[in-house]
Amino acid sequence: MATEIVMPRLGWTMEEGTLVEWLKQNGDRVEAGDIIFTVESDKAINEIESFDSGTLYIPPDAPQPGDTLPIGAVLGFLLGPGEGPPAATPAPTAVEKETESRPQQSAPSRPPRDRPQGKKSRSAISPRALRLATELGVDVSSLNGSGRNGRIVERDVREAAPARSADKAAGATRRTIARRLTESHVETAPVTLSTEADATDFVALRAELDVPHLSYNDLFLKLTAAALAEHPDLNASWRNGSVQRHDEIHVGIAVDTNAGLLVPVITNVDARDLPDLARETSDLVQKARQGDLKSEHLHGGTFTITNLGAYGIDVFTPIVNLPECAILGVGRIVARPAVYEGRIVPRDMVALSLTFDHRVVDGGPAARFLDTIRRHVERPELWHAR
């Protein structure tokens, strides 16, 4: 019996995926473990491998690159020796396929439409740039890459394409962002608390540390992890009608990119030192802006930090990044008149905003957590051994 090849579920919030690129052709022999197509989900490009062997068969009405499909949609089949194609292509729903223990994958029955011309190797162009070039019909062989080692990245393709075509290509990412934000607004019971912290010693700490690429975000990552260890109620999610606490602390950092807001996740933040954090966050931010993030970089977070200080913003209301229960918003650090040791003097101040899901945690624990964040900003010695 022919094995169905379907749109896989690549994350618990994923409801649909966009077929990006076929890496095998109709009629090719496929062995278990072969990478045969790529899918975009949650703004990341994923290489999909086959768990079975056989000969690829794609019906005439198979989806084409650029099509957005629900989980479980049939993309094609793997045929056994001497086996003919199925008489008809079933039309499964996402619900029917959710219970499958493993995803299965496929290749195209016909050449992708509007495939970019040229002989650039896959290693010379990022997956997101290749997908965008396919959608916009950009000849990648004529491009000079601005990425590392001359690699073609998304911005190179956008600069070579008409603006209206780039806007159309960005639509799929915008729809993903809109869907996730709507889910957060509908499914959570959000409450936002705000406070102000004296960041003078915090600023001094960054200035005195000899750590390459160290940013304020790296310091906030470390002090937030320390606060989450003290307040595990905030390192939790609402799943299947109950609260699930997480044993590990994985913190996402919101990054503004041309493709939209991305939140790469730094794992086990509490166990990492500042030089290690600085290296990884710098690398992930660069990958996010070049469109080189992988799916695993965007999943598994237990808390998120979003910093709008660079844009002159003080207080704002961040939106919870599901399935997490809370998100910390950081405003600009700016010198203000403040009362310090009985005198009015200039001090570096920062506004902090915490949005939390009231289903998971009550106002008292959330307020105590935010107050701990404030104290950690004002007294870095509480979490950083100088």
Side-chain angles (χ1 to χ4, degrees):
M1 182 177 178
T3 302
E4 290 181 0
I5 300 166
V6 302
M7 177 64 69
R9 179 181 293 279
L10 301 173
W12 83 275
T13 61
M14 180 179 172
E15 298 298 334
E16 60 183 19
T18 300
L19 183 61
V20 177
E21 176 191 18
W22 296 107
L23 305 179
K24 293 281 188 177
Q25 296 297 318
N26 188 43
D28 284 354
R29 175 67 186 175
V30 172
E31 301 295 338
D34 285 352
I35 304 296
I36 51 180
F37 73 100
T38 56
V39 168
E40 182 175 22
S41 67
D42 292 335
K43 301 161 281 182
I45 303 295
N46 307 271
E47 293 184 334
I48 308 301
E49 69 179 59
S50 176
F51 286 91
D52 298 283
S53 300
T55 300
L56 287 170
Y57 169 71
I58 307 300
D61 58 349
Q64 295 189 4
D67 290 345
T68 298
L69 307 160
I71 303 307
V74 175
L75 306 178
F77 301 88
L78 286 176
L79 307 180
E83 186 174 27
T89 304
T93 64
V95 173
E96 289 172 340
K97 290 298 175 183
E98 282 178 10
T99 57
E100 291 193 354
S101 60
R102 61 183 182 180
Q104 296 175 347
Q105 302 81 21
S106 78
S109 60
R110 51 183 178 272
R113 57 191 175 195
D114 301 327
R115 188 178 184 85
Q117 302 298 311
K119 304 253 182 216
K120 289 281 184 182
S121 70
R122 293 180 63 233
S123 62
I125 182 171
S126 73
R128 186 180 291 276
L130 181 60
R131 175 185 183 275
L132 185 62
T134 300
E135 293 185 352
L136 303 184
V138 173
D139 182 0
V140 297
S141 66
S142 66
L143 301 184
N144 293 318
S146 62
R148 185 178 299 174
N149 298 322
R151 193 182 196 199
I152 296 172
V153 294
E154 184 181 6
R155 64 172 173 267
D156 302 321
V157 177
R158 290 190 183 280
E159 290 173 359
R164 66 174 182 269
S165 297
D167 290 343
K168 180 179 178 181
T173 296
R174 191 71 250 170
R175 286 193 299 272
T176 299
I177 295 172
R179 174 178 57 78
R180 297 199 65 179
L181 294 181
T182 300
E183 288 173 354
S184 178
H185 179 73
V186 171
E187 295 180 14
T188 64
V191 178
T192 300
L193 307 176
S194 61
T195 190
E196 190 175 44
D198 185 336
T200 304
D201 290 345
F202 183 76
V203 172
L205 173 64
R206 180 179 180 236
E208 73 180 45
L209 290 175
D210 184 20
V211 177
H213 309 297
L214 182 68
S215 69
Y216 286 125
N217 277 342
D218 300 321
L219 297 179
F220 272 108
L221 274 168
K222 194 63 180 176
L223 71 86
T224 298
L228 288 170
E230 293 182 46
H231 303 271
D233 287 346
L234 276 294
N235 196 49
S237 302
W238 180 265
R239 283 184 172 171
N240 301 320
S242 63
V243 175
Q244 176 184 343
R245 282 190 180 184
H246 304 293
D247 295 328
E248 299 174 322
I249 298 175
H250 307 319
V251 183
I253 290 288
V255 180
D256 181 34
T257 75
N258 290 334
L261 184 67
L262 301 177
V263 186
V265 175
I266 296 87
T267 60
N268 300 309
V269 177
D270 53 325
R272 315 276 283 274
D273 59 25
L274 283 173
D276 187 22
L277 286 177
R279 283 192 299 270
E280 179 158 358
T281 55
S282 177
D283 181 59
L284 288 177
V285 168
Q286 182 180 26
K287 286 181 177 179
R289 289 175 176 159
Q290 291 182 347
D292 289 339
L293 286 178
K294 296 182 179 180
S295 179
E296 56 264 31
H297 294 143
L298 297 169
H299 295 287
T302 62
F303 191 89
T304 293
I305 297 173
T306 177
N307 190 335
L308 294 181
Y311 305 103
I313 300 301
D314 292 319
V315 181
F316 59 102
T317 305
I319 298 177
V320 172
N321 184 25
L322 288 177
E324 301 160 15
C325 81
I327 180 171
L328 176 68
V330 179
R332 62 175 173 162
I333 298 176
V334 60
R336 301 183 191 277
V339 177
Y340 179 72
E341 295 182 345
R343 296 180 298 117
I344 297 178
V345 295
R347 303 287 288 180
D348 290 318
M349 307 298 291
V350 62
L352 304 170
S353 305
L354 177 73
T355 298
F356 63 96
D357 186 350
H358 215 314
R359 299 176 305 168
V360 179
V361 63
D362 292 330
R368 289 190 288 273
F369 170 77
L370 183 58
D371 189 57
T372 297
I373 294 287
R374 179 192 61 78
R375 289 189 291 107
H376 283 185
V377 171
E378 295 184 344
R379 298 180 57 195
E381 70 273 11
L382 293 175
W383 54 273
H384 178 70
R386 295 176 186 247

